[in-house]
Amino acid sequence: MTVTSRAYKHQKRQNYQYGMIFILITGVLLGAPARGTCEGVPALIQLQSRAVQSAWAEIDNILRENRKLERQTAEPYLARAELWVVAGSHEDALRDYLTATDLLTKNQSNPAEQAGHLTRLRTALDQLLQQPRPHFPNAARDEFHSGTNAFQANRMADAAWSFEEACRLDSSVAMYHIYRALAYKRLGRDQDAEREVATAASLMRTPGSNVNGELRDLNSRLEFVQGPLRNWLNETLAQRPPATARARSGTPISK
């Protein structure tokens, strides 16, 4: 088979995949019925309609093939981001949109293609701003407990996944972000870890939040976290406003 023939077949297959993405996303947005329930997908996606779950499975397969390419394309990431918008996961949607934007830049897409993607991105971001954040507290608690068990068993990749799931299901709980930060730190993902501590600190400054109560809970749940990891957390929290700095181990907390 010649190089030209292989390239033609690859492009034909890619065009078919992108056509499937369009059909799947359109079906989700229009409420079309799904073929079946997907397994092995994030908990937040599993709580969506069967159409969303089915679309997720298809797009996940396309993404796996896309990652094998010498030059990845942006389209599958844009498609997955649109599913995250439907599910209400702002963080995951923005991450996929940023990845797609980076790929468009690296691949030096033509102006017409870039303009089309930017229009699509603007529409999606407008939808995302209007979409309420997910709130599934019971499911989030279950994921958090799974994460703490994995954390104490030193299964950091599993722990990080469960804490990510907890944050997706209920992003308003500072404790979930703290533990997510600790797991990331143990995995060497320092920048992500610091971001999660900043998010937790921000949540504990939210008007109406019970700062002292959250800090007491934080101290209680972190008793088994000691040594360099706890020192890092204390130091990072100390860089935040005074209310969160009192989460240090052994620091008296006023009522």
Side-chain angles (χ1 to χ4, degrees):
M1 184 182 294
T2 65
V3 173
T4 302
S5 177
R6 284 199 300 270
Y8 171 77
K9 288 190 174 183
H10 170 72
Q11 186 62 50
K12 188 176 180 180
R13 183 172 65 251
Q14 198 173 64
N15 290 341
Y16 168 78
Q17 290 176 336
Y18 293 164
M20 284 298 298
I21 288 176
F22 177 78
I23 292 170
L24 288 164
I25 294 295
T26 302
V28 168
L29 296 178
L30 294 178
R35 292 191 301 250
T37 301
C38 305
E39 296 181 0
V41 298
L44 182 59
I45 298 297
Q46 294 185 45
L47 290 168
Q48 307 304 310
S49 69
R50 293 178 62 205
V52 171
Q53 295 177 49
S54 187
W56 178 274
E58 294 285 354
I59 292 170
D60 191 52
N61 288 334
I62 293 171
L63 271 166
R64 288 193 181 121
E65 293 299 316
N66 192 49
R67 294 189 190 103
K68 297 176 184 177
L69 300 177
E70 185 176 344
R71 293 177 60 184
Q72 289 194 65
T73 57
E75 188 68 28
Y77 291 98
L78 289 169
R80 189 171 67 178
E82 289 174 358
L83 286 183
W84 282 127
V85 170
V86 172
S89 181
H90 294 212
E91 178 185 343
D92 291 300
L94 289 173
R95 184 180 295 113
D96 276 342
Y97 282 132
L98 287 172
T99 300
T101 302
D102 286 343
L103 288 172
L104 285 170
T105 303
K106 291 177 182 177
N107 293 341
Q108 298 179 339
S109 304
N110 63 62
E113 186 179 356
Q114 290 185 7
H117 282 303
L118 287 174
T119 300
R120 182 176 174 182
L121 177 59
R122 180 175 179 177
T123 301
L125 290 176
D126 286 341
Q127 292 175 345
L128 186 62
L129 289 173
Q130 298 172 28
Q131 184 82 347
R133 291 183 181 274
H135 186 64
F136 300 98
N138 292 334
R141 261 193 306 274
D142 290 343
E143 291 291 348
F144 176 68
H145 290 318
S146 295
T148 53
N149 289 337
F151 188 92
Q152 292 184 53
N154 202 33
R155 301 196 320 271
M156 288 303 130
D158 292 340
W161 170 260
S162 292
F163 296 141
E164 288 167 1
E165 292 281 66
C167 290
R168 285 190 186 109
L169 293 162
D170 187 356
S171 62
S172 66
V173 181
M175 181 66 64
Y176 300 165
H177 294 278
I178 288 290
Y179 265 91
R180 187 177 177 182
L182 293 171
Y184 283 163
K185 185 67 177 176
R186 289 284 300 275
L187 290 169
R189 297 170 56 180
D190 291 359
Q191 188 174 356
D192 291 335
E194 291 181 8
R195 182 198 67 223
E196 290 302 316
V197 173
T199 300
S202 178
L203 287 169
M204 287 190 280
R205 296 197 308 270
T206 302
S209 62
N210 181 3
V211 175
N212 284 339
E214 289 194 53
L215 291 174
R216 278 193 290 269
D217 187 36
L218 178 62
N219 279 328
S220 172
R221 288 178 178 267
L222 290 174
E223 286 182 354
F224 69 91
V225 179
Q226 301 297 332
L229 187 61
R230 185 60 182 271
N231 292 337
W232 167 82
L233 177 61
N234 291 343
E235 291 168 4
T236 307
L237 282 171
Q239 297 169 11
R240 306 296 155 190
T244 58
R246 285 178 290 172
R248 296 184 177 189
S249 176
T251 303
I253 300 174
S254 59
K255 295 184 178 180

